[in-house]
Structures are given as C-alpha cells and as structure tokens.
Amino acid sequence: MYDSPKLLGLRKELINNLIKKGINNKNILEAFLKVPRHLFIHKDFESFAYKDEAFPIDENQTISQPFTVAFQTHLLNVKKGDKILEIGTGSGFQSAVLVFLGADVYTIERNHSLFRSTSKLFKKLNINPIKFKYGDGYEGLIDDSPFDGIIVTAGSPSVPENLLKQLKIGGRMVIPIGKDTQVMNKITRISINDFKKETFGYFKFVPMLDKKD
Ligand code: SAH
C-alpha cells in the first residue's frame, strides 16, 4: 500500500482540521488516520486527498468531503459489530471508515463501472465489507435486514420507504434529503411504526438516482 511521510503529515493536518470543525470522536479520528484517502482518488491528484473538500471520481461522481464522512459517521453512532448498510459505495472511502470502526458493512452501488473499480480497490487494500452489491439502493437489502444503521451517501428527494422498513428498532438512518442541496436527517426507529426525525443543516451531494434516471 503506497503511503509516504508527506501524505501522513497531510492526513494529520486534515484530522486537526476536522477537530476544529467539531469532530471529537476518537475512533472516527483514528479511522481517518488509518485509512489512506489518497488511494481512493486518482493517483495524479493524491495531494488533494487531504483537503477538506469533495473531489471528483470517475463516472461524474464524487468522493464525499472528509467532514461530511466524519459527520455522517458520527450521527450513525457506529459500535463494533453493528450491521450497517451503506447506499452509494462510490470510491469506497466511507465503507473503509465503517469497516475500520469494526462494523459489519453491507454496501450498494448502482454504477457498474464504479462497482468494478471499487471492488478491485477493496481487494487490493484488504478492506472486507460483508457484502458489496451492484444494485439499486432504493431497494436496500431485504434478505440481510434489519440493520443497526443505514447511511445514504447520495442526495435523496425523500426518505425511501423500503429503507425505513429495514431498520432495527433503535436503528438509525442518516440520509441527506433534498434536490439541489440537502438537509442531513437522522431518523431513529423507536418502535415498529414510530420514527424520530432530527435535522442537522445543509449539505451538497450528488443525486441518488432512480431506476428511470
Ligand atoms: N460513499 C461514497 C460517496 C459517493 S457519491 C464515497 O465515500 O466516495 C454517491 C454514490 O452513490 C455514487 O457512486 C453513485 O453512483 C451512487 N448512487 C446514486 N444513486 C444510487 C442508487 N439508487 N443506488 C446505489 N447507489 C447510488
């Protein structure tokens, strides 16, 4: 795995930056130290990997901004052994952070080219989600449900009903809702039929695409 003292230094700067922005969960900060974000973007741009910015990856998609990954992960409240479903694997960076935190990760990507390249990267870096599925995130993974947490990393116009049904009681879904910009929502299932909704400010994601898109 390619790394260097310079890249490690940049990674530490990024972590200080995240601390300044209010991320104080030690496990999440450690994950950002251990997961080499530069390997998840194009090699020619590796020094951009440690700016706190989203960055283009293939297929017109983006790797989420580091703060956004840290913040969504914090809201998800991941404990070792939690079963977590991620929608929108993309570069695989968010999945890698979840694996590092000790979660059992199930992740879905609907773009076949990204699915193939990220599958290869996971193998190369020995990052092992329990399941990496090429498919439609709106459907979730009924056979593997229920989940302790569901994290959606693309902007969804509304809360997908199927995904709500796949949460355990006490399970959390962290999902950006909206078209051009999104409001970060955390939805907690408090009983079979009751959900608690909290919101956490504005973010900007690529859209969660529907079958017809
Ligand atoms: N978690 C990613 C973020 C990638 S951007 C990372 O850390 O890099 C969002 C991703 O969601 C894109 O790869 C896009 O192809 C994917 N996506 C969009 N709509 C989807 C859907 N309906 N089901 C699954 N993935 C979807």
Side-chain angles (χ1 to χ4, degrees):
M1 180 186 88
Y2 168 66
D3 204 359
S4 72
K6 178 175 164 231
L7 291 166
L8 178 63
L10 292 176
R11 205 140 72 233
K12 287 185 176 158
E13 262 176 44
L14 170 65
I15 288 159
N16 286 332
N17 201 346
L18 293 175
I19 294 171
K20 281 195 203 118
K21 291 180 180 174
I23 303 296
N24 55 16
N25 180 311
K26 282 214 173 67
N27 295 331
I28 295 177
L29 294 170
E30 203 194 336
F32 272 80
L33 187 64
K34 294 284 163 62
V35 181
R37 192 169 183 269
H38 62 277
L39 300 177
F40 293 79
I41 66 174
H42 197 283
K43 207 170 164 317
D44 296 342
F45 299 99
E46 62 183 22
S47 63
F48 287 88
Y50 298 109
K51 290 185 193 285
D52 190 20
E53 287 168 21
F55 199 78
I57 55 174
D58 292 341
E59 300 292 309
N60 257 335
Q61 300 301 321
T62 56
I63 178 169
S64 299
Q65 181 184 346
F67 173 75
T68 304
V69 175
F71 189 65
Q72 282 198 283
T73 309
H74 159 73
L75 291 180
L76 198 60
N77 192 15
V78 185
K79 291 177 294 302
K80 236 189 165 94
D82 273 359
K83 228 168 126 175
I84 304 289
L85 173 64
E86 177 194 27
I87 309 299
T89 321
S91 70
F93 180 72
Q94 170 76 70
S95 336
V97 166
L98 294 169
V99 168
F100 182 85
L101 292 173
D104 286 349
V105 177
Y106 297 72
T107 181
I108 309 179
E109 172 56 55
R110 60 113 61 190
N111 180 292
H112 198 253
S113 160
L114 281 177
F115 172 75
R116 269 185 322 207
S117 54
T118 300
S119 298
K120 276 192 205 144
L121 184 68
F122 283 157
K123 286 210 180 77
K124 195 167 126 194
L125 301 182
N126 199 19
I127 292 165
N128 298 306
I130 305 288
K131 191 177 271 185
F132 181 16
K133 184 180 160 129
Y134 166 57
D136 179 12
Y138 282 102
E139 286 172 14
L141 279 175
I142 189 75
D143 291 346
D144 297 292
S145 68
F147 295 96
D148 296 290
I150 300 179
I151 178 170
V152 179
T153 68
S156 176
S158 60
V159 183
E161 278 295 320
N162 284 336
L163 297 184
L164 283 179
K165 289 188 200 135
Q166 295 179 22
L167 276 179
K168 283 186 191 170
I169 310 284
R172 300 73 64 193
M173 170 152 52
V174 177
I175 177 168
I177 302 284
K179 283 213 165 122
D180 295 335
T181 54
Q182 297 83 27
V183 173
M184 191 61 74
N185 280 248
K186 174 173 178 176
I187 298 165
T188 308
R189 186 171 206 173
I190 42 190
S191 70
I192 292 282
N193 293 316
D194 297 303
F195 296 86
K196 179 177 88 177
K197 188 175 121 176
E198 300 162 275
T199 56
F200 295 89
Y202 289 91
F203 288 80
K204 196 151 178 54
F205 284 81
V206 294
M208 181 164 167
L209 300 173
D210 210 334
K211 278 204 188 66
K212 60 186 187 307
D213 293 315

